[in-house]
Amino acid sequence: MLQRAVEEDLAGELSGIRQRQTTHLGRELERIDDYFARYERELVGRASRSAGKIKTADRLAAAQAEHARHRADQVSRHEITVYPHVDALLLVAEPAWRAPLHLGRAHQAPQNLVARFVPRARRWEPLPLSLNT
């Protein structure tokens, strides 16, 4: 139940983040693929001009392994990680973050009300009048 509440709470926030991460990841993977494609063409070109075919085969195998490692690294760097236990704690704990506030504004009488601090949004939200008593 808490997992579903966390997912619903974060759905709006995560959609924008997910879209941005997808765009950045696509660019990074394209950059990595282009780099290693050029490097492989260069190694193949060198192999055709030299007699050291064994070294070239080893270098090609190492380049392919490095290419896979770089791609995996970028995918892990662009993952969106949510720690549900922390977010769930904040959702459950929000009612406990109530405090009486005394607001004073210029040219107005001071106002007393009860508000709740919403940690995820980093703001105070006034509670309905029925809860302010």
Side-chain angles (χ1 to χ4, degrees), residues 36 39-40 43 54-70:
F36 281 99
Y39 184 62
E40 284 183 28
L43 286 177
I54 292 173
K55 274 189 175 181
T56 304
D58 290 344
R59 285 184 181 169
L60 272 171
Q64 289 169 349
E66 191 67 10
H67 184 191
R69 191 188 69 73
H70 276 272

Side-chain angles (χ1 to χ4, degrees), residues 25 47-48 77 109:
L25 177 60
S48 66
R77 285 175 188 249

Side-chain angles (χ1 to χ4, degrees), residues 9 16-17 20 35 37 46 50 57 61 78 81 84 86 100 105 107 111 114-115 117 120 125 128:
D9 183 53
I17 294 170
R20 189 173 59 246
Y35 172 83
R46 284 184 197 172
S50 69
H78 287 81
T81 305
V86 173
R105 295 184 177 134
H107 310 293
Q111 183 182 12
V114 176
F117 183 71
R120 292 189 44 72
E125 289 183 353

Side-chain angles (χ1 to χ4, degrees), residues 4-18 120:
R4 191 170 57 244
V6 170
E7 288 172 3
E8 288 172 8
D9 183 53
L10 295 176
E13 256 180 84
L14 288 180
S15 67
I17 294 170
R18 184 176 290 118
R120 292 189 44 72

Side-chain angles (χ1 to χ4, degrees), residues 49-93:
R49 294 186 304 268
S50 69
K53 297 208 188 291
I54 292 173
K55 274 189 175 181
T56 304
D58 290 344
R59 285 184 181 169
L60 272 171
Q64 289 169 349
E66 191 67 10
H67 184 191
R69 191 188 69 73
H70 276 272
R71 285 182 64 87
D73 179 57
Q74 285 303 315
V75 168
S76 69
R77 285 175 188 249
H78 287 81
E79 283 179 342
I80 299 170
T81 305
V82 175
Y83 299 100
H85 56 283
V86 173
D87 288 315
L89 174 66
L90 292 175
L91 284 173
V92 171

Side-chain angles (χ1 to χ4, degrees), residues 23-41:
T23 302
H24 290 301
L25 177 60
R27 273 191 248 144
E28 286 300 310
L29 292 179
E30 186 178 322
R31 183 185 62 80
I32 289 168
D33 292 344
D34 288 345
Y35 172 83
F36 281 99
R38 283 192 309 269
Y39 184 62
E40 284 183 28
R41 283 193 304 271

